[in-house]
Amino acid sequence: MMLEINRLSVNYGHIQALHDVALTAEQGSIVSIIGANGAGKSTLLRTISGLNSPKNGGSIRFLGKEIVSLAPHKIVRAGIVHVPEGRKVFAGLSVLDNLKIGGFLYKGAELQKTLDHVLTMFPILAERKDQFAGTLSGGEQQMLAIGRGLMAQPKLLLLDEPSLGLAPIVINTVFKMINEIRDSGVSILLVEQNARKALTICDKAYVLENGYIRKEGTGQALLNDPDVITAFLGESV
Amino acid sequence: MAITAFVQTLFNGLAIGGSYSLIAVGFCLVYSIMKFTNFAHGSMISAAAFVSYWVCNRFNLGLLGSLFAAIAAGALIGSITEFLAFRRIEKKSASNFYFFVSSLTWGTFVEQLVNNGVGIRALAFPKFYPSLSLKITVFGTKYTIMTNYLYMFVSAVIVLGLLFVFLYKTKYGRAIRATSFDRDTANLMGINVAMTIQIVFILAGIMAGVGGVFLGVKNKIYAQLGSDVVTKGFISSVLGGLGSVYGAVIGAFVLGVVEQFLVYFVGSNMARVVIFVLMLVFLLIRPQGISGVMVKDKA
Ligand SMILES: Nc1ncnc2c1ncn2[C@@H]1O[C@H](COP(=O)(O)OP(=O)(O)OP(=O)(O)O)[C@@H](O)[C@H]1O
Ligand SMILES: [Mg+2]
């Protein structure tokens, strides 16, 4: 198992944002997490990548190794890369510098190789490479955020709402990229508001509600689940 | 104003501005990454200058040796300052008021140590230059410039040049810029934030050390040497636009030049008053500074 999470609980002061969350992700798969605003989706990703610390007793095993107490920069080294909600590009740095910072752990020929790969994958970034990242459009910034994540050569990529605020046509491009990334061998943990797309693309999905995992199953099964349909797919049964 | 006087005043301003820029840039780098003012910055200047003086006397060093001693001392003091006055508090993510108290306390303590080391009379570096002033002929006109100012200016330009290469061409420089922008996201890129902050304080300490030696040659060495000039560093970085390194450099040179012209026209006592009035007026008109970046303080 690539990622195995057990009994993960996270507090913000007195507010408990995650309750005993358990989740697994297999190598080469896309696992989606859907849930309403405030369900705890970002908290889950932030805890996996080390930005938030869980309560004692929780476990996050990555490729068989416990990573729960590691600092974020060490978790990147282990192979988990988090593309945060809201893109978070370094607005005052050039597109190229943003990408190079994504590849902070590498240098020389290896850095250049990944850079060439990412620039081929996202030609728009190659075109804009000397521009400040803050001047890119929302869609371009999302491409940059994903490209920057790939620069760290992840084994597992955590994507937090990559389609947020994008036009439908751009959303399609983003999901095409996600598929392409998985086909290149990178496993993906995808948090999405766009439940239909997230369930269609994934191998397995979880429904998170008020910090609890309420449902889990294949994307297909959840797409046909009456509760999921009413809550997330906007259709009456 | 005769052309000779004009050129000489301009040059003095640029030289003084060079020393301000070393202080302003160090201050600005720390501010950008911490979003908080290091009130111990002035003490780093005095302490590095004092250590350099001590080493210089002990081992009979010239200017270059004294500069290297100041660089080493500045780097060490910078890194201790970060560790003692910021890191522990940063970890507990306490209120910014604690940064204020801890950096002020640490700075006062260091200044007091220097005070005890210096004794009652300010210390003077040995004579570094064969002659105090140089005569230079350009296009048939003779100019007299202070040797110390010439070295001060050249060193400031070299140090700033190296700093810019480091910030814009190396991966650790990029890490500093990224971490100053968004610490959490930089951390997610594999950047060790604590180490990056440590590097910034070391850089600030190095620049404080280089500035301290030249100011020490100019004004002698005493405990408040740093805090007397650090205000000029603060002003420069606000003048340039708080948080912008380019802005801090430009602000420092503008401040140095304006100050020297004021000294020329109204004398050094009045200049000290007028410069602060000008500064206040400037802040009222353009609080975002020359470069136009407006930084919101954490506090
Ligand atoms: N820094 C914080 N301090 C206090 N509470 C927080 C903090 N961050 C999140 N929370 C709370 O934790 C809960 C989960 O938040 P989280 O951001 O993980 O939700 P989310 O599922 O990602 O929501 P969204 O879809 O809106 O991004 C929310 O109730 C939120 O208010
Ligand atoms: Mg979220």
Side-chain angles (χ1 to χ4, degrees):
Chain A
M1 198 56 70
M2 176 155 240
L3 183 72
E4 201 171 350
I5 297 177
N6 272 307
R7 296 190 315 281
L8 194 72
S9 298
V10 177
N11 274 28
Y12 291 108
H14 293 299
I15 303 165
Q16 187 160 357
L18 291 180
H19 299 263
D20 272 330
V21 166
L23 175 154
T24 56
E26 266 176 73
Q27 183 117 31
S29 66
I30 297 181
V31 173
S32 290
I33 298 163
I34 58 172
N37 291 115
K41 307 180 296 295
S42 299
T43 304
L44 176 57
L45 295 197
R46 289 173 61 89
T47 310
I48 297 172
S49 61
L51 285 176
N52 290 357
S53 351
K55 297 211 286 191
N56 286 340
S59 153
I60 303 173
R61 293 180 78 77
F62 178 63
L63 297 170
K65 260 178 50 195
E66 186 60 61
I67 57 161
V68 90
S69 55
L70 292 184
H73 60 273
K74 293 192 175 144
I75 289 173
V76 178
R77 230 173 254 276
I80 301 182
V81 175
H82 180 174
V83 178
E85 185 176 2
R87 328 190 215 293
K88 300 287 169 66
V89 298
F90 300 110
L93 273 60
S94 71
V95 168
L96 194 61
D97 276 348
N98 269 270
L99 291 173
K100 285 183 178 167
I101 285 162
F104 181 75
L105 298 178
Y106 304 93
K107 55 176 190 252
E110 184 162 24
L111 178 68
Q112 192 57 46
K113 208 179 103 208
T114 330
L115 186 61
D116 292 341
H117 171 72
V118 169
L119 289 176
T120 325
M121 216 174 145
F122 300 97
I124 188 74
L125 298 182
E127 244 169 73
R128 304 278 153 98
K129 67 182 179 0
D130 298 318
Q131 233 167 280
F132 282 134
T135 65
L136 298 181
S137 75
E140 289 161 356
Q141 288 193 14
Q142 188 60 58
M143 303 298 174
L144 176 56
I146 296 175
R148 185 182 62 179
L150 291 176
M151 289 296 299
Q153 306 189 17
K155 298 188 181 100
L156 172 66
L157 192 63
L158 315 179
L159 296 174
D160 197 343
E161 306 209 23
S163 75
L164 191 72
L166 302 183
I169 188 162
V170 186
I171 294 182
N172 287 338
T173 321
V174 169
F175 274 88
K176 218 182 84 211
M177 300 313 307
I178 294 175
N179 249 327
E180 225 173 273
I181 293 165
R182 188 259 305 269
D183 293 344
S184 74
V186 179
S187 317
I188 292 171
L189 194 57
L190 173 68
V191 159
E192 259 300 333
Q193 295 272 355
N194 193 327
R196 184 179 303 282
K197 281 220 172 307
L199 293 176
T200 310
I201 199 177
C202 72
D203 302 292
K204 183 162 72 167
Y206 292 85
V207 177
L208 197 60
E209 190 184 290
N210 296 327
Y212 293 93
I213 298 276
R214 292 293 190 206
K215 280 183 195 298
E216 93 176 76
T218 63
Q220 217 23 259
L222 290 183
L223 274 171
N224 296 321
D225 185 298
D227 295 338
V228 172
I229 292 174
T230 26
F232 299 107
L233 302 176
E235 294 164 22
S236 49
V237 193
Chain B
M1 195 174 190
I3 181 78
T4 343
F6 175 81
V7 172
Q8 277 173 202
T9 310
L10 181 66
F11 176 77
N12 291 349
L14 291 175
I16 304 270
S19 70
Y20 292 167
S21 74
L22 295 176
I23 296 160
V25 166
F27 169 75
C28 164
L29 284 175
V30 168
Y31 180 85
S32 299
I33 208 160
M34 301 301 300
K35 307 288 181 280
F36 195 76
T37 305
N38 174 18
F39 287 98
H41 200 95
S43 75
M44 305 202 306
I45 301 169
S46 310
F50 177 71
V51 172
S52 162
Y53 164 86
W54 190 85
V55 175
C56 156
N57 266 352
R58 179 87 176 63
F59 300 100
N60 256 324
L61 303 178
L63 177 64
L64 200 61
S66 302
L67 276 174
F68 278 112
I71 285 172
L76 186 67
I77 296 160
S79 100
I80 297 174
T81 302
E82 185 270 331
F83 190 76
L84 287 182
F86 288 91
R87 189 178 309 183
R88 298 287 308 159
I89 291 175
E90 182 75 22
K91 276 231 171 86
K92 298 208 171 87
S93 38
S95 144
N96 276 335
F97 186 69
Y98 291 97
F99 283 148
F100 171 73
V101 173
S102 67
S103 64
L104 201 62
T105 310
W106 167 248
T108 315
F109 167 75
V110 171
E111 206 173 277
Q112 199 51 52
L113 281 185
V114 176
N115 198 35
N116 293 2
V118 169
I120 30 171
R121 294 173 70 192
L123 305 168
F125 274 110
K127 207 164 156 241
F128 285 139
Y129 315 113
S131 113
L132 281 181
S133 60
L134 296 169
K135 294 206 175 2
I136 295 177
T137 311
V138 184
F139 296 125
T141 318
K142 264 202 184 140
Y143 300 102
T144 311
I145 58 175
M146 307 276 286
T147 316
N148 188 41
Y149 281 12
L150 179 64
Y151 279 90
M152 182 149 97
F153 178 71
V154 171
S155 310
V157 169
I158 292 173
V159 171
L160 289 175
L162 290 174
L163 178 80
F164 275 80
V165 171
F166 179 77
L167 281 180
Y168 288 89
K169 297 286 173 214
T170 71
K171 75 185 246 177
Y172 290 101
R174 272 194 295 273
I176 289 173
R177 288 184 293 136
T179 308
S180 301
F181 242 99
D182 180 344
R183 196 180 284 190
D184 276 356
T185 306
N187 208 187
L188 289 180
M189 304 293 120
I191 293 169
N192 182 340
V193 169
M195 190 184 83
T196 308
I197 293 176
Q198 175 78 194
I199 293 175
V200 165
F201 272 85
I202 288 173
L203 289 175
I206 288 174
M207 285 183 286
V210 174
V213 168
F214 288 107
L215 291 165
V217 172
K218 176 172 172 275
N219 300 344
K220 297 208 171 157
I221 296 160
Y222 54 100
Q224 292 80 27
L225 170 72
S227 39
D228 283 353
V229 287
V230 86
T231 324
K232 303 290 173 59
F234 289 176
I235 293 179
S236 305
S237 54
V238 173
L239 197 61
L242 202 49
S244 151
V245 179
Y246 281 112
V249 172
I250 294 167
F253 282 107
V254 169
L255 181 66
V257 169
V258 170
E259 202 177 52
Q260 288 307 301
F261 276 96
L262 283 176
V263 169
Y264 181 88
F265 285 115
V266 299
S268 62
N269 277 338
M270 269 313 277
R272 259 178 237 145
V273 178
V274 176
I275 194 81
F276 286 107
V277 173
L278 285 182
M279 183 61 208
L280 287 173
V281 171
F282 178 85
L283 276 183
L284 287 176
I285 299 171
R286 197 175 161 79
Q288 71 274 40
I290 297 170
S291 75
V293 193
M294 188 77 158
V295 182
K296 277 223 175 75
D297 203 322
K298 250 188 354 188

